[in-house]
Amino acid sequence: MERIVLKVKPETARRWRMKSREAKPSDIEDLDRLLNFWLNAQEEELWPFLERVRRDAESKGFNDDVLTNILNEP
């Protein structure tokens, strides 16, 4: 893999630094797949893809309450 630099909000950077080393390789693979899809997709393909991801996450128990809890973690 090659290294790229992305500018993110300070809170995003802080939360990334706080992640365990064990979790990061898997997260990087997921981000790589998402970024690749986004870069290759037509605009109209992106939103249906994100909707599929949302439905899949909901079927696995992820919902707005879970997201709110994650976003409010110190």
Side-chain angles (χ1 to χ4, degrees):
M1 286 201 163
E2 286 190 45
R3 178 181 297 261
I4 64 171
V5 177
L6 300 172
K7 287 189 176 192
V8 296
K9 293 180 180 178
E11 178 61 17
T12 305
R14 183 190 68 76
R15 292 185 69 207
W16 177 257
R17 286 190 299 272
M18 300 277 299
K19 285 197 80 108
S20 71
R21 284 186 157 187
E22 295 79 21
K24 284 184 180 180
S26 173
D27 292 344
I28 290 169
E29 290 290 330
D30 291 342
L31 288 169
D32 183 61
R33 281 193 298 276
L34 181 60
L35 187 56
N36 249 322
F37 181 86
W38 180 67
L39 291 170
N40 291 320
Q42 297 293 328
E43 185 174 331
E44 61 274 5
E45 293 175 333
L46 182 60
W47 294 112
F49 167 76
L50 293 175
E51 181 59 26
R52 272 194 322 275
V53 170
R54 184 195 63 77
R55 283 193 311 265
D56 185 45
E58 278 185 349
S59 75
K60 295 176 181 173
F62 189 84
N63 58 37
D64 287 344
D65 292 334
V66 173
L67 178 60
T68 299
N69 287 338
I70 291 169
L71 294 174
N72 289 328
E73 287 178 357

